[in-house]
Amino acid sequence: MKQIFFISFLVLLVNCTTTEKKKELSFEIPETEKEKKVFLKEILEKDQTTREASTQARQEFGYESAEHLEAEKKIWSADKENLEKVFFYLETYGFPERDTYGKDGVAAIWLTLHHLNPPDNHLRREYFPYLYQAWKEGDMTDKEMSFFLN
């Protein structure tokens, strides 16, 4: 009887853990090369469009305007979402190869990490080995690595 209870408990525990991990991700997991390209493209587009909107709001309404502050909040939200995706991507697939995913696929990763705020610099250090290896293998240019490091 104790064995049945123990086995039932283990099965329940494993199922709960698996379900929790799936719930933690707020996005569809890309599996094919095409899906990965779209995934990376969407990260870069969200990163750049929110920053462009913030710049436009600042120029049009001023730095301390409600419009600019709202645009900055959208940047923070986009960055949070993009970071989750980039961390997942790097940990699951490694750094994207430039020959396969192009300049934009590569930029999606390093720009997202570049935009980390100073309190999160430990994350830049944690994920730096992925970028360093990509740079050594020619998937990041010297210019991109320099930009990331500054």
Side-chain angles (χ1 to χ4, degrees), residues 40 86-97 101 109 130 134:
L40 293 168
V86 165
F87 296 157
F88 166 82
Y89 192 94
L90 289 172
E91 292 168 5
T92 306
Y93 306 115
F95 198 90
E97 296 173 348
Y101 297 97
I109 300 294
Y130 291 100

Side-chain angles (χ1 to χ4, degrees), residues 34-57:
K34 183 178 179 180
E35 290 172 346
K36 292 174 190 175
K37 286 179 179 180
V38 169
F39 186 78
L40 293 168
K41 181 181 178 186
E42 289 173 352
I43 291 170
L44 183 62
E45 286 177 354
K46 183 172 275 196
D47 178 85
Q48 294 301 292
T49 57
T50 55
R51 282 172 168 72
E52 289 166 4
S54 175
T55 298
Q56 185 176 356

